[in-house]
Amino acid sequence: MKLLLDAVLPILAIMLCGYFSGVVGLVSKSGSKSLNNYVFYVALPALLFLTTATAPVQQLANWRFVSINLGGIFASFILAIIIAKVVYKHNFSTASLYGMNASYGTTGYMGIPLVIAAFGPEAALPAALATLIHNIPVITMVLLLFEVSRTMEHSRVGENIFNMIWNILKPVIKNPLTLSVVAGIIVAILELNLPTSIQTFAQLLADASGPTALFALGLGLVGQAGLIKEFGIKKSEIATIVALKLVFQPFITILLILFVFEIDKLWGMIAILMSALPVGAGVYVFAQKYERLEKQTSIAILISMFLSIFTTSILLLYFGEQITP
């Protein structure tokens, strides 16, 4: 429990800093949008570039670990989209953000320190790889699905299919997140050594992405104390998101480890733990940018954060027994 609290409390504290800064007027509530734009266009691209550029390419050949993580991510993402479309009647672009809520966790600034504290330095490599797997596919899917939906909604009957495809791909290709990932992959494949100045520059920006997103999330909650009462049926949306993220995703990950893929025990435990983390603050950045599910996302992040203290503690206690000689 102490390990988890040590990881969770700083996250909640940053969110509270954002909230109280808005309450006392130190920062305007409207500043939340500007802060999230900074994360989306500057800090997050730096994080994705640095993560991919310094990734151990040879470890990407651990297809069992990659497949286990992707299996849980895709299962939760796809089921969330189906529920959003069929049950809650969202359009496809909004449903893609629903999927992001259900599959994108706090792997970077919560997951990595948590598993290293729990399992030791040897957990750093699989934790970093899991973070890479959890970030890039989800972000890419949301960008692509959102642009597909937006293009289809505005396309004209009889429009050239190649124009439609280009209209879909152009915003994705030009997106700073996509460009940063592509640049990072090229650097990793070519095994280029980044100059210290560039690495330090990217690291400073990358380190700011998580705290800034959390601060903006807390700031965005100002004046929304009675938020849940206004939702009506949307309460069930939040409950669905939280259940998919904290229960369904790790459940699928466990099934894959037990019945599909044989994997090293440590790597398997890390895959499960990373899949069971709460909804990531980065989802709120996308929700606010695209102006979809902002309130649902902010509450889902908070509730999943609190509940994960108990659910993740259970996993850590169980894993502790597994690794005890």
Side-chain angles (χ1 to χ4, degrees):
M1 178 68 81
K2 183 179 182 300
L3 288 176
L4 190 58
L5 288 177
D6 287 343
V8 171
L9 289 180
I11 294 173
L12 294 176
I14 294 174
M15 293 165 63
L16 284 175
C17 284
Y19 179 79
F20 286 115
S21 294
V23 169
V24 302
L26 184 64
V27 182
S28 170
K29 182 185 173 183
S30 60
S32 175
K33 182 82 172 177
S34 297
L35 288 173
N36 277 323
N37 281 339
Y38 163 73
V39 174
F40 188 89
Y41 290 105
V42 181
L44 190 54
L47 173 63
L48 293 177
F49 169 74
L50 197 60
T51 303
T52 50
T54 58
V57 176
Q58 66 276 12
Q59 288 297 332
L60 296 179
N62 190 339
W63 294 113
R64 293 179 180 180
F65 184 73
V66 172
S67 300
I68 287 167
N69 281 279
L70 289 180
I73 291 169
F74 286 152
S76 192
F77 191 92
I78 292 170
L79 181 57
I81 286 180
I82 293 172
I83 293 174
K85 288 286 293 179
V86 176
V87 179
Y88 300 118
K89 310 300 180 184
H90 288 302
N91 60 33
F92 203 64
S93 56
T94 302
S96 67
L97 285 173
Y98 200 96
M100 189 179 193
N101 267 279
S103 58
Y104 186 94
T106 53
T107 53
Y109 43 90
M110 178 177 171
I112 290 178
L114 182 63
V115 298
I116 291 176
F119 304 124
E122 62 271 20
L125 178 58
L129 181 56
T131 298
L132 184 65
I133 298 168
H134 278 256
N135 275 267
I136 294 175
V138 176
I139 289 174
T140 302
M141 285 190 294
V142 171
L143 291 174
L144 187 58
L145 290 175
F146 193 91
E147 295 304 332
V148 167
S149 176
R150 186 158 61 180
T151 300
M152 295 300 292
E153 290 171 2
H154 295 89
S155 63
R156 297 182 296 274
V157 177
E159 184 176 354
N160 185 288
I161 185 66
F162 294 106
N163 287 337
M164 290 182 61
I165 294 174
W166 175 241
N167 288 334
I168 291 170
L169 294 179
K170 182 170 64 174
V172 176
I173 294 172
K174 295 171 62 176
N175 191 283
L177 304 181
T178 307
L179 294 173
S180 62
V181 170
V182 172
I185 290 174
I186 293 172
V187 171
I189 291 175
L190 296 178
E191 297 184 350
L192 301 176
N193 291 322
L194 292 174
T196 302
S197 57
I198 293 178
Q199 189 160 349
T200 302
F201 167 74
Q203 188 67 64
L204 288 171
L205 289 175
D207 290 342
S209 61
T212 306
L214 290 167
F215 187 93
L217 173 59
L219 183 61
L221 292 172
V222 175
Q224 299 182 6
L227 202 57
I228 297 181
K229 296 179 181 179
E230 303 173 6
F231 277 160
I233 193 172
K234 291 180 182 176
K235 292 179 185 177
S236 64
E237 290 191 54
I238 297 168
T240 301
I241 289 171
V242 173
L244 287 171
K245 186 66 197 71
L246 296 185
V247 180
F248 182 73
Q249 187 177 346
F251 175 70
I252 294 297
T253 304
I254 291 171
L255 289 181
L256 290 172
I257 292 173
L258 291 178
F259 301 110
V260 182
F261 300 101
E262 291 185 9
I263 192 170
D264 175 82
K265 179 182 286 187
L266 176 64
W267 285 58
M269 290 189 295
I270 290 172
I272 294 170
L273 195 58
M274 294 298 242
S275 71
L277 295 172
V279 181
V283 185
Y284 184 72
V285 175
F286 281 78
Q288 192 169 62
K289 172 177 173 52
Y290 293 128
E291 299 181 340
R292 312 287 174 94
L293 299 180
E294 293 178 64
K295 295 180 179 180
Q296 294 96 318
T297 296
S298 60
I299 291 182
I301 291 171
L302 286 172
I303 293 177
S304 66
M305 188 73 69
F306 281 113
L307 291 180
S308 71
I309 294 175
F310 303 100
T311 57
T312 313
S313 292
I314 293 172
L315 289 174
L316 285 173
L317 288 172
Y318 176 75
F319 292 153
E321 294 176 358
Q322 296 297 306
I323 61 177
T324 300

Short mmCIF file of all heavy atoms in Angstrom, two decimals, residues 39 44 100 104 109 213 279-287 301:
data_model
loop_
_atom_site.label_atom_id
_atom_site.label_comp_id
_atom_site.label_asym_id
_atom_site.label_seq_id
_atom_site.Cartn_x
_atom_site.Cartn_y
_atom_site.Cartn_z
N VAL A 39 0.92 20.96 -23.76
CA VAL A 39 1.22 19.53 -23.64
C VAL A 39 1.10 18.83 -24.99
O VAL A 39 1.97 18.05 -25.40
CB VAL A 39 0.28 18.85 -22.61
CG1 VAL A 39 0.50 17.34 -22.60
CG2 VAL A 39 0.53 19.42 -21.22
N LEU A 44 4.30 16.73 -25.07
CA LEU A 44 4.02 15.33 -25.41
C LEU A 44 4.80 14.86 -26.64
O LEU A 44 5.33 13.74 -26.64
CB LEU A 44 2.52 15.13 -25.60
CG LEU A 44 2.04 13.68 -25.71
CD1 LEU A 44 2.51 12.85 -24.53
CD2 LEU A 44 0.51 13.64 -25.81
N MET A 100 -10.15 5.69 -25.80
CA MET A 100 -8.89 6.13 -25.20
C MET A 100 -9.00 6.15 -23.68
O MET A 100 -8.07 5.75 -22.97
CB MET A 100 -8.53 7.52 -25.73
CG MET A 100 -7.13 7.96 -25.33
SD MET A 100 -6.71 9.60 -25.99
CE MET A 100 -4.93 9.64 -25.69
N TYR A 104 -5.99 3.91 -22.04
CA TYR A 104 -4.77 4.71 -21.89
C TYR A 104 -4.55 4.98 -20.40
O TYR A 104 -5.34 5.68 -19.77
CB TYR A 104 -4.94 6.02 -22.67
CG TYR A 104 -3.71 6.91 -22.73
CD1 TYR A 104 -2.83 6.83 -23.80
CD2 TYR A 104 -3.44 7.84 -21.73
CE1 TYR A 104 -1.73 7.66 -23.88
CE2 TYR A 104 -2.34 8.67 -21.79
CZ TYR A 104 -1.49 8.57 -22.87
OH TYR A 104 -0.39 9.39 -22.94
N TYR A 109 4.42 8.34 -15.55
CA TYR A 109 4.82 8.96 -14.29
C TYR A 109 4.20 8.29 -13.07
O TYR A 109 4.42 8.72 -11.95
CB TYR A 109 4.49 10.45 -14.29
CG TYR A 109 3.15 10.83 -14.86
CD1 TYR A 109 2.02 10.90 -14.07
CD2 TYR A 109 3.02 11.11 -16.22
CE1 TYR A 109 0.80 11.24 -14.61
CE2 TYR A 109 1.80 11.45 -16.75
CZ TYR A 109 0.70 11.51 -15.94
OH TYR A 109 -0.53 11.84 -16.48
N ALA A 213 -0.18 18.35 -17.59
CA ALA A 213 -1.50 17.78 -17.88
C ALA A 213 -2.31 17.60 -16.59
O ALA A 213 -3.52 17.85 -16.56
CB ALA A 213 -1.36 16.45 -18.61
N VAL A 279 -6.99 5.75 -15.49
CA VAL A 279 -7.05 6.52 -16.73
C VAL A 279 -6.00 7.63 -16.70
O VAL A 279 -5.88 8.36 -15.71
CB VAL A 279 -8.46 7.14 -16.93
CG1 VAL A 279 -8.51 7.93 -18.24
CG2 VAL A 279 -9.52 6.06 -16.91
N GLY A 280 -5.23 7.76 -17.76
CA GLY A 280 -4.14 8.74 -17.80
C GLY A 280 -4.62 10.16 -18.01
O GLY A 280 -5.61 10.41 -18.72
N ALA A 281 -3.91 11.10 -17.40
CA ALA A 281 -4.27 12.51 -17.56
C ALA A 281 -4.15 12.97 -19.00
O ALA A 281 -4.79 13.94 -19.41
CB ALA A 281 -3.38 13.37 -16.66
N GLY A 282 -3.34 12.27 -19.80
CA GLY A 282 -3.21 12.63 -21.20
C GLY A 282 -4.51 12.55 -21.98
O GLY A 282 -4.69 13.25 -22.99
N VAL A 283 -5.44 11.73 -21.51
CA VAL A 283 -6.74 11.62 -22.18
C VAL A 283 -7.49 12.95 -22.10
O VAL A 283 -8.16 13.35 -23.04
CB VAL A 283 -7.60 10.50 -21.56
CG1 VAL A 283 -8.90 10.32 -22.34
CG2 VAL A 283 -6.84 9.18 -21.53
N TYR A 284 -7.34 13.63 -20.97
CA TYR A 284 -8.01 14.92 -20.81
C TYR A 284 -7.47 15.95 -21.79
O TYR A 284 -8.21 16.83 -22.26
CB TYR A 284 -7.84 15.42 -19.37
CG TYR A 284 -8.58 16.71 -19.09
CD1 TYR A 284 -9.97 16.73 -18.99
CD2 TYR A 284 -7.89 17.90 -18.93
CE1 TYR A 284 -10.65 17.90 -18.73
CE2 TYR A 284 -8.56 19.09 -18.68
CZ TYR A 284 -9.93 19.09 -18.58
OH TYR A 284 -10.61 20.26 -18.34
N VAL A 285 -6.17 15.84 -22.11
CA VAL A 285 -5.57 16.73 -23.11
C VAL A 285 -6.29 16.57 -24.44
O VAL A 285 -6.64 17.55 -25.11
CB VAL A 285 -4.07 16.44 -23.26
CG1 VAL A 285 -3.46 17.28 -24.38
CG2 VAL A 285 -3.34 16.70 -21.94
N PHE A 286 -6.54 15.31 -24.85
CA PHE A 286 -7.22 15.05 -26.11
C PHE A 286 -8.70 15.45 -26.02
O PHE A 286 -9.25 16.00 -26.98
CB PHE A 286 -7.11 13.56 -26.47
CG PHE A 286 -5.79 13.19 -27.07
CD1 PHE A 286 -4.67 13.03 -26.27
CD2 PHE A 286 -5.67 13.01 -28.44
CE1 PHE A 286 -3.44 12.69 -26.82
CE2 PHE A 286 -4.44 12.67 -29.00
CZ PHE A 286 -3.33 12.52 -28.19
N ALA A 287 -9.34 15.17 -24.89
CA ALA A 287 -10.75 15.50 -24.73
C ALA A 287 -10.98 17.00 -24.85
O ALA A 287 -11.94 17.46 -25.49
CB ALA A 287 -11.25 14.99 -23.38
N ILE A 301 -10.94 10.05 -14.59
CA ILE A 301 -9.54 10.05 -14.14
C ILE A 301 -9.48 10.08 -12.61
O ILE A 301 -8.74 9.30 -11.99
CB ILE A 301 -8.79 11.25 -14.73
CG1 ILE A 301 -8.61 11.07 -16.24
CG2 ILE A 301 -7.43 11.43 -14.06
CD1 ILE A 301 -8.05 12.30 -16.95
#
